[in-house]
Amino acid sequence: MGFKVSSAREKLEVDILFVGAGPACLSGALHLKNLLENHNQRVPSAEKLEVSIAIIEKGKDIGAHILSGAVLDPIALRELIPDYEQTDVPLDVPVSEDMIYYLTGQKHFRLPFIPPSISNYGNFIISLNRFVQWLGKRVEANGIDLFPGFSGTKLLFEGNHLIGVRTGDKGIGRNKKPGSSYEPGVDILAKAVVLGEGVHGSLTKQAIKHFNLDQGKFPQIYSIGVKEVWDLPSTSDIPGQVIHTLGYPLKHEEYGGGFIYNMGRRLSLGLVVGLNYKDPFLDPHKELQRLKTHPLIASRLKGATLAHYGAKALPEGGYYSLPKSYFDGGLIIGDSGGLVNSMRLKGIHLAMKSGMLAAETLLHGLLEQDFSERTLGIYSSLFKDSWACHELYKVRNFHQGFENGLLMGMLNTGIQMLTGGRGWKDPLGHCQGHLKMRKLSEYSTDRSVRHNSIKNGEAKSFDKVTSVYFSGTKHEEDQPSHLLIADPGICQERCAQEFGNPCESFCPAKVYEIISDQNDQKKVLHLNPSNCLHCKTCEIMDPYQIITWIPPEGGGGPNYINL
């Protein structure tokens, strides 16, 4: 494998290209390598397969852009690495206690029973970015090429067949002209491309649009997870404790809840908010700050110190929102393919399994020397026969059941458990989340109630800029904005009047600000792209759908640690 120079830009030819170094692609690449070795041990020399495998990752290091709760179900890990318990895999602590609380403003009520289908016993509390770093080292040790700091920006086609990915140029100035350090991106050509770049991935969106992969599917719906990691003053006497919460600080009409995971010397604390809410002033970051004022949470943070912060979106549309995941020249896996169990609040094991199924599909393509839609379609059959599909089918109407509020959602959840996922209607339809947001004239809300109910510094609360500091986020300052606004005038005039500029609220990193111009004559939109956490919430929840997130210069973004 090597570079071939062309007159336009360098080309790198590989057999299989994975996009995104998350659990899906890393598991897929490792499993494919294992399958190839097993194949080559069984066949004569003339039939052995020599296959080059590469993974590109937009983060500057493997794991830098990876964030999750996270409680890991080890089912896929056990299949991928059967002897994982004899390795140095960073599974911080096994779950020792599992609880769900309903919170009011000051009180909490523990649910008396946790159904086996959502129980966490047998699972592990982990830092996903440390887990991914560990998995990445195993991948490299097996001869697979990892290229961090390379963001995929464009799909390359030959006719209607995907043949590769173009990586982003480096050294483009804010004036959109090449600077002294300019390096053109590389065209990576491959027999098959696997897209596992995370939720709402840029290349995945291109593939879905090009191949019409969402035809006949319900639209994807999302949540945002906002998370903090706290260093505890001493080793906890309850390591492995898992707490999930419902109710406060969210309204009953809003989907979501909190989580507290105890890792002994560290505490993971977060809030998940459905991105299909009505209130244009809902601010997930500030809701997390409000959550910390609750006595149940505040008591666990005594003497603790904030260490890390981050945010990301989660695909929660479920089974009926899964796009077609195979096409001429490629596959879609993991969060990019919508593989999250919203009832269990888990997707790592599903992402890993999807990568492994992709590997089995790719081996078939390599043996046939055919990567057409017909051949890669075996992925669909493998997925439908897997425990991953069966798990998602059983919760196919979960998030949708909360469309009419918490009480109806809880009722539908109970019915689903009794009916194998059906609920009171199958399927429960839904629309895109941003369509649920109400205009100011249609929704009685008070910005001050949610935004000013706590003060910075109170109950270990922080403003967004301070929180961003704890994410380690850094972008090259002299580059074009990676947040494209189709019509800024809509933001400054129409959106201000109709919705009160919800971008200032839903962004967890203060990327969007409406400020006065130099003459104090009118309000203008000001962007702070260097704050961006790459969570994709703005693309998802913008009521006019005029925001487009594109990858910034490779390596830019958060630098997550222990998240």
Side-chain angles (χ1 to χ4, degrees), residues 447-523:
R447 184 191 293 262
S448 64
V449 171
R450 302 194 91 141
H451 284 204
N452 301 323
S453 58
I454 58 173
K455 298 178 181 178
N456 293 332
E458 177 187 346
K460 300 185 181 297
S461 300
F462 304 92
D463 61 29
K464 290 182 181 180
V465 174
T466 302
S467 293
V468 169
Y469 170 80
F470 286 97
S471 71
T473 298
K474 180 182 288 186
H475 293 85
E476 172 59 49
E477 294 288 345
D478 186 24
Q479 66 172 308
S481 174
H482 63 278
L483 298 155
L484 309 181
I485 313 297
D487 186 350
I490 289 178
C491 306
Q492 292 152 195
E493 299 170 10
R494 184 178 168 189
C495 186
Q497 296 175 4
E498 294 184 340
F499 291 98
N501 295 120
C503 59
E504 292 187 290
S505 298
F506 58 58
C507 174
K510 204 175 178 63
V511 171
Y512 300 89
E513 289 186 281
I514 304 296
I515 63 175
S516 299
D517 65 8
Q518 292 181 344
N519 301 317
D520 202 26
Q521 296 295 312
K522 64 177 182 178
K523 299 291 185 180

Side-chain angles (χ1 to χ4, degrees), residues 83-304:
D83 64 343
Y84 77 90
E85 294 176 309
Q86 281 72 57
T87 71
D88 59 348
V89 56
L91 303 179
D92 289 76
V93 59
V95 174
S96 62
E97 192 174 14
D98 197 8
M99 296 175 284
I100 300 176
Y101 284 96
Y102 174 77
L103 306 183
T104 64
Q106 291 294 316
K107 297 182 179 181
H108 56 274
F109 304 92
R110 182 175 175 178
L111 273 62
F113 172 71
I114 297 180
S117 59
I118 59 174
S119 171
N120 282 296
Y121 291 111
N123 299 333
F124 297 88
I125 303 174
I126 68 168
S127 157
L128 182 57
N129 79 291
R130 289 201 301 118
F131 178 78
V132 162
Q133 289 169 357
W134 172 84
L135 198 54
K137 290 177 181 177
R138 291 187 70 100
V139 164
E140 285 190 296
N142 277 270
I144 297 166
D145 292 307
L146 270 172
F147 297 108
F150 286 85
S151 55
T153 59
K154 182 180 179 181
L155 296 178
L156 303 175
F157 295 93
E158 189 173 86
N160 203 41
H161 193 99
L162 178 63
I163 60 168
V165 169
R166 177 168 295 172
T167 66
D169 297 343
K170 296 184 179 181
I172 300 291
R174 193 172 299 183
N175 60 4
K176 301 183 180 180
K177 296 181 179 179
S180 59
S181 61
Y182 173 69
E183 294 180 20
V186 178
D187 284 351
I188 306 179
L189 306 180
K191 295 175 181 176
V193 177
V194 183
L195 301 176
E197 53 184 341
V199 64
H200 222 248
S202 299
L203 297 181
T204 304
K205 288 191 302 177
Q206 293 178 34
I208 289 174
K209 182 177 181 181
H210 182 91
F211 292 105
N212 203 20
L213 301 176
D214 56 355
Q215 183 177 17
K217 307 289 186 176
F218 282 108
Q220 187 59 262
I221 50 176
Y222 301 86
S223 292
I224 178 175
V226 187
K227 177 184 176 182
E228 297 173 347
V229 173
W230 290 76
D231 288 335
L232 300 176
S234 60
T235 301
S236 170
D237 58 357
I238 49 173
Q241 185 184 66
V242 168
I243 295 176
H244 289 98
T245 70
L246 302 169
Y248 182 86
L250 300 178
K251 302 175 184 177
H252 277 198
E253 68 182 35
E254 295 160 355
Y255 175 90
F259 61 86
I260 309 104
Y261 303 152
N262 191 306
M263 295 180 283
R265 288 304 302 268
R266 294 191 306 273
L267 194 74
S268 289
L269 167 68
L271 182 70
V272 173
V273 180
L275 293 177
N276 55 349
Y277 54 80
K278 298 177 182 178
D279 186 350
F281 294 146
L282 194 157
D283 184 325
H285 173 271
K286 291 196 174 181
E287 294 302 290
L288 175 60
Q289 309 312 308
R290 291 211 303 153
L291 175 64
K292 289 183 290 185
T293 67
H294 193 281
L296 180 71
I297 313 301
S299 64
R300 285 164 168 75
L301 295 179
K302 287 182 179 179

